[in-house]
Amino acid sequence: MAARYDRAITVFSPDGHLFQVEYAQEAVKKGSTAVGIRGKDIVVLGVEKKSVAKLQEERTVRKICALDDHVCMAFAGLTADARIVINRARVECQSHRLTVEDPVTVEYITRHIATLKQRYTQSNGRRPFGISALIVGFDSDGTPRLYQTDPSGTYHAWKANAIGRSAKTVREFLEKNYTEESIATDNEAIKLAIKALLEVVQSGGKNIELAVIRRNQSLKLLESKEIETLVTEIEKEKEEEAEKKKQKKST
Amino acid sequence: MATFFGEVLSVYSRAVEEDDDDLDDENEDERIHREIEEKREVHIVWCPEVAQSLEDSGSNTLQCSDLIIAVGTNAAGFLSAYVLNTESWDAVGHVSLWNERSRGSSRQSIAPLPGEPACLFYRHRDNPAVLVCQSTCYIAEDQLFQWTEKVFGCLQKRGLSVMVLSDSPVAEYKTPDYLYGSAVPFLRSLKSSASKGQALCPALEQPNILTGLPAAVLSHCQVHQIPAVLYQCYTDVISPDSITMETYKPALLCLSKLVKLEPCLSADVLRKFAIITEAQSNLYT
């Protein structure tokens, strides 16, 4: 049945599906995992680094991009579509600064991106953007924000979320482990993001890239050494947990 | 004949004329048909030892207890990586055929080059009754029957049992439920009624059907009451891919009873058979 209603973007199927939009969401699942966590004084974005070809410059294969000094986003899906969306968002951020003399709120720029995506689900001859984005940042009043958009043009605020391949597994992990204690400090929030990614990333810390924004500071990409240190800490904690459990069982 | 737009079209007469020209035309048609048929004929080229064994046996057949056919690049890659990786297999023949998508007949007597789409036969040195066929070339619908008849015509029917491994895109899998990404790739099985054992994965649900070479082989086995089991792997990747190849692992249980297999396999060997196309790796981030 889908065959007759999935060719054109502007056609609803009899049961109300927009198949092209749903297929675009499948394209998102082909991208590697990205996770976003909203802490108290920090927002964290973690992504699974794609394996880069030997002759390729690693710096140019980035999943995390700054949109402005206080907002950044990670995406999953079609690389080229992401580039277009990011460019438009960056231009809008500066245009807003010049017009209103204030930096954008995270919700504003998310709404702008989501509106752009929705427009492409409602015109003929164009296909939807095949990306989902996690947008994080701080508003000028100091509130941390995390938003997620998807190819249909919807956006929602989240405390923690994941997109891309194996997003479901990561989201289930976050639902179990995102508590007030787990984000009590900045370090804890970063470790939660790494733990969530380690659920689905093969070969551990060297395939993880992490970016943080702290209140009144700009985007900071963590160095691989720092990530390795945190991964080792996490593994030690896991071992200690396992030891404790063993001791409990034996007594 | 005048048309609405004022132009004049010449009309051909449809009166039938009993001319000698007609016979020539028919002959020409027949000749063209025959040429096309010859061009599309399926030829099996065996190596000299096997050709000799075929001649020596009275019925022009080989003794074969197990035939394993792999259809598609992932199934063929799986066999290459897990079964044909030891030194005890000999290439004993290939099928040469021509159609619009497989232009091989110009080199009928020469074996296809490695890496080219082809249909190759391998036989185990220690157990010559085990034959493996890797088919990565496209076989047109009109050639499937010929392929099956010719290949099975070379094998003794008694005691023969067949296993087919085949790839299929998951987009062709019809199901009322939504398939989550983690479920793909997966295996489904289909058996001929002569096949007694348990299949190692769920049976293919209706209304899904098989097409192409796997269907032709299974139909032949059903008609001739040869026990046959088919494992169809539904995958969402177009090119040969190591995860898809690993999906066929349950079949190793049956295969290890027939021939000695390499116990463990390094990821590097698998990666050799999987092609990561540049476009695929940069398209999605």
Side-chain angles (χ1 to χ4, degrees):
Chain A
M1 185 189 61
R4 281 162 55 206
Y5 299 100
D6 65 359
R7 295 300 168 222
I9 179 61
T10 52
V11 175
F12 274 109
S13 71
D15 57 349
H17 287 278
L18 277 174
F19 281 110
Q20 280 301 306
V21 175
E22 294 182 16
Y23 297 165
Q25 282 163 343
E26 293 298 315
V28 169
K29 293 194 193 129
K30 287 196 169 326
S32 57
T33 320
V35 71
I37 303 224
R38 186 185 80 194
K40 295 215 174 81
D41 309 305
I42 190 174
V43 284
V44 186
L45 279 177
V47 297
E48 178 186 353
K49 252 198 304 207
K50 247 182 40 154
S51 52
V52 174
K54 236 164 101 173
L55 296 172
Q56 208 170 20
E57 287 278 5
E58 208 186 326
R59 286 187 312 113
T60 57
V61 184
R62 283 257 177 271
K63 260 171 88 85
I64 304 178
C65 315
L67 299 179
D68 202 346
D69 294 329
H70 61 298
V71 188
C72 76
M73 78 173 238
F75 66 90
L78 288 159
T79 326
D81 285 7
R83 192 184 67 234
I84 301 301
V85 169
I86 290 170
N87 281 347
R88 301 255 188 111
R90 285 173 171 167
V91 166
E92 180 60 25
C93 284
Q94 298 316 308
S95 170
H96 187 275
R97 270 184 194 267
L98 293 169
T99 321
V100 185
E101 294 177 5
D102 269 332
V104 294
T105 59
V106 185
E107 195 268 344
Y108 177 89
I109 193 64
T110 309
R111 194 167 6 110
H112 177 86
I113 293 175
T115 315
L116 171 67
K117 286 187 182 179
Q118 191 280 339
R119 226 176 284 140
Y120 278 67
T121 68
Q122 219 175 6
S123 39
N124 53 334
R126 298 200 268 193
R127 60 163 178 78
F129 285 101
I131 65 160
S132 276
L134 287 172
I135 301 153
V136 295
F138 282 85
D139 289 339
S140 10
D141 63 353
T143 335
R145 302 265 186 218
L146 164 64
Y147 284 92
Q148 186 230 341
T149 65
D150 67 14
S152 62
T154 51
Y155 72 95
H156 293 284
W158 290 77
K159 296 180 194 154
N161 200 1
I163 52 175
R165 188 176 19 218
S166 327
K168 197 158 158 272
T169 319
V170 178
R171 208 174 304 127
E172 283 167 2
F173 175 86
L174 288 170
E175 282 174 9
K176 278 194 216 123
N177 293 286
Y178 183 92
T179 56
E180 285 305 312
E181 301 129 19
S182 63
I183 51 148
T185 68
D186 291 355
N187 215 25
E188 288 297 308
I190 298 176
K191 282 211 288 215
L192 180 62
I194 298 180
K195 275 188 238 176
L197 274 176
L198 285 173
E199 292 282 306
V200 294
V201 164
Q202 300 123 338
S203 55
K206 51 184 166 64
N207 276 5
I208 295 181
E209 201 167 74
L210 222 67
V212 297
I213 301 187
R214 291 189 170 84
R215 191 174 289 115
N216 297 326
Q217 291 180 28
S218 58
L219 171 70
K220 187 168 156 270
L221 278 166
L222 264 65
E223 293 202 15
S224 34
K225 264 183 279 175
E226 294 178 74
I227 301 180
E228 284 294 335
T229 324
L230 288 164
V231 171
T232 342
E233 262 184 58
I234 290 171
E235 282 173 355
K236 229 185 0 168
E237 281 170 20
K238 266 198 201 158
E239 279 173 27
E240 284 168 9
E241 279 283 324
E243 276 294 317
K244 270 194 214 159
K245 278 200 181 144
K246 262 195 214 164
Q247 284 181 3
K248 263 192 186 171
K249 270 192 178 170
S250 57
T251 55
Chain B
M1 178 182 102
T3 67
F4 287 111
F5 300 102
E7 53 192 327
V8 176
L9 295 175
S10 58
V11 181
Y12 298 103
S13 162
R14 290 181 290 177
V16 177
E17 287 165 20
E18 301 283 346
D19 267 341
D20 289 320
D21 291 333
D22 277 349
L23 285 170
D24 276 345
D25 283 343
E26 272 176 32
N27 283 343
E28 196 179 315
D29 282 342
E30 269 181 30
R31 204 172 3 105
I32 294 173
H33 280 142
R34 235 179 305 123
E35 277 176 19
I36 294 178
E37 263 178 42
E38 276 171 22
K39 204 170 178 193
R40 296 181 77 86
E41 213 174 293
V42 175
H43 299 276
I44 309 186
V45 182
W46 295 107
C47 72
E49 297 93 41
V50 173
Q52 189 64 44
S53 334
L54 278 171
E55 270 184 44
D56 292 340
S57 78
S59 48
N60 211 30
T61 56
L62 283 177
Q63 210 240 333
C64 179
S65 64
D66 293 88
L67 174 64
I68 300 139
I69 306 178
V71 184
T73 43
N74 280 300
F78 164 76
L79 282 186
S80 298
Y82 285 88
V83 179
L84 300 171
N85 54 352
T86 61
E87 293 301 314
S88 23
W89 291 90
D90 295 317
V92 293
H94 67 274
V95 175
S96 105
L97 47 81
W98 181 96
N99 56 53
E100 292 72 19
R101 278 154 67 169
S102 298
R103 295 155 196 264
S105 79
S106 51
R107 290 181 269 102
Q108 214 186 81
S109 45
I110 310 170
L113 302 164
E116 248 187 24
C119 191
L120 305 164
F121 289 97
Y122 296 91
R123 192 169 65 168
H124 200 264
R125 225 169 275 161
D126 305 323
N127 189 356
V130 177
L131 264 181
V132 163
C133 171
Q134 282 183 321
S135 174
T136 44
C137 65
Y138 173 70
I139 305 178
E141 282 87 13
D142 57 312
Q143 295 172 315
L144 288 172
F145 180 70
Q146 244 192 86
W147 191 100
T148 329
E149 289 295 300
K150 289 202 171 164
V151 170
F152 281 90
C154 291
L155 306 173
Q156 273 184 12
K157 226 172 49 174
R158 206 164 359 117
L160 175 64
S161 118
V162 177
M163 183 195 302
V164 184
L165 306 172
S166 125
D167 299 336
S168 179
V170 74
E172 298 190 1
Y173 183 67
K174 298 168 187 60
T175 166
D177 315 310
Y178 178 66
L179 272 179
Y180 284 120
S182 53
V184 181
F186 56 88
L187 278 185
R188 288 290 183 268
S189 68
L190 215 53
K191 294 192 297 184
S192 69
S193 36
S195 166
K196 293 291 178 281
Q198 267 277 38
L200 306 154
C201 63
L204 188 63
E205 304 90 343
Q206 289 196 349
N208 293 291
I209 59 169
L210 295 175
T211 55
L213 185 57
V217 168
L218 216 59
S219 305
H220 179 99
C221 293
Q222 177 67 15
V223 167
H224 294 262
Q225 282 146 2
I226 302 173
V229 65
L230 174 140
Y231 295 107
Q232 176 110 310
C233 177
Y234 287 96
T235 173
D236 57 350
V237 182
I238 313 169
S239 46
D241 158 68
S242 49
I243 299 179
T244 310
M245 288 185 208
E246 284 180 349
T247 318
Y248 286 111
K249 267 191 182 157
L252 285 176
L253 284 168
C254 309
L255 293 170
S256 56
K257 291 185 203 140
L258 304 170
V259 291
K260 190 169 168 304
L261 298 174
E262 275 280 307
C264 62
L265 201 64
S266 69
D268 293 329
V269 178
L270 256 185
R271 225 172 283 142
K272 202 173 25 140
F273 295 103
I275 303 167
I276 306 167
T277 56
E278 281 312 302
Q280 187 88 73
S281 67
N282 279 325
L283 197 58
Y284 301 100
T285 300

